[in-house]
Amino acid sequence: MRLILLGPPGAGKGTQAKMLKEQFGVPQISTGDILRQAVKDNTELGIQAKSFMDVGKLVPDEVVIGLIKERIKQDDCEAGFILDGFPRTILQAEKLSETLTEMGLAIDTVVNLEVNAEEVISRLAGRSTCPDCGGMFHEESRPPKVSGVCDGCGGLLAQREDDNAETILKRLDVYQESTAPLKQFYKKQGNLKTVSARGSVEEIFSRVLEMVK
Ligand code: ADP
Ligand code: ZN
């Protein structure tokens, strides 16, 4: 099972990817998570990526392409993977196809999570995540039992630094300009499946499952 989750920031890619990972036992590969971890660890990659992420710009293609190439060749990806946040540009998509072809593999399904810009803004502004286990919460739609505390592991919830009004708008622009064209790219390849990303997490998950079955 080799899946791509496509959609604007705040569409719920990370949440759905985690559920798919549980369901199918294949790793979730999130370039955003990998980059945030690198920033936290203050590695060379992190130092390079931070200046782009802070202002909502994309990290240069060659950096993320290199990351993904290495990652999908690891043993735990043998039975498949769920890509979340990659590819984000046509060049990334082309390089991914090339790499998979070299490995004798291909993407099975691209799930496109559709949601409008207004909804995205309110979702991102209200969201918090657990830095310890990756759990995700939302003020309105998914409040933690105890405010500011992760239900899963008791970690202290934090807002992502790039979830501020200005950076959110920039990320939406970047999505429209650089990432939305991927819908056409995968439509041509015949594996694009679009689902509405409105409703509860469980509702969306059942729509996604329909598409990947
Ligand atoms: P979201 O989809 O909510 O904006 P992500 O966690 O996927 O958040 O990404 C956060 C940031 O990490 C992006 O704004 C970008 O700077 C960087 N990033 C993540 N994935 C990629 C990618 N495939 N190509 C370039 N930059 C990326
Ligand atoms: Zn947690």
Side-chain angles (χ1 to χ4, degrees), residues 8-10 13 30-33 35-36 52-53 56-59 64 85-88 92 124 127 160 162 171:
K13 298 184 297 289
S30 158
T31 38
D33 286 349
L35 294 169
R36 270 186 294 279
F52 297 96
M53 297 173 77
K57 288 189 185 166
L58 293 181
V59 172
V64 282
F86 184 95
R88 248 183 169 83
Q92 291 179 18
L124 291 178
R127 117 175 140 177
R160 260 171 53 177
D162 60 350
R171 281 153 61 207

Side-chain angles (χ1 to χ4, degrees), residues 182-192:
L182 290 181
K183 290 188 250 179
Q184 214 40 47
F185 179 93
Y186 286 114
K187 203 172 179 181
K188 271 193 216 140
Q189 298 196 353
N191 47 11
L192 186 78

Side-chain angles (χ1 to χ4, degrees), residues 194-209:
T194 293
V195 304
S196 161
R198 302 199 61 160
S200 72
V201 166
E202 290 74 22
E203 274 162 3
I204 301 163
F205 187 56
S206 69
R207 289 179 205 139
V208 171
L209 280 183

Side-chain angles (χ1 to χ4, degrees), residues 82-139:
I82 300 146
L83 289 176
D84 150 20
F86 184 95
R88 248 183 169 83
T89 64
I90 295 284
L91 185 72
Q92 291 179 18
E94 287 169 350
K95 294 292 171 189
L96 174 66
S97 295
E98 258 174 53
T99 305
L100 288 172
T101 306
E102 277 165 25
M103 296 167 74
L105 303 172
I107 293 294
D108 301 311
T109 310
V110 179
V111 179
N112 173 39
L113 296 170
E114 285 267 299
V115 56
N116 64 37
E118 271 160 69
E119 172 102 16
V120 157
I121 293 169
S122 87
R123 285 188 187 185
L124 291 178
R127 117 175 140 177
S128 55
T129 50
C130 173
D132 300 330
C133 76
M136 283 192 272
F137 300 89
H138 192 280
E139 273 170 12

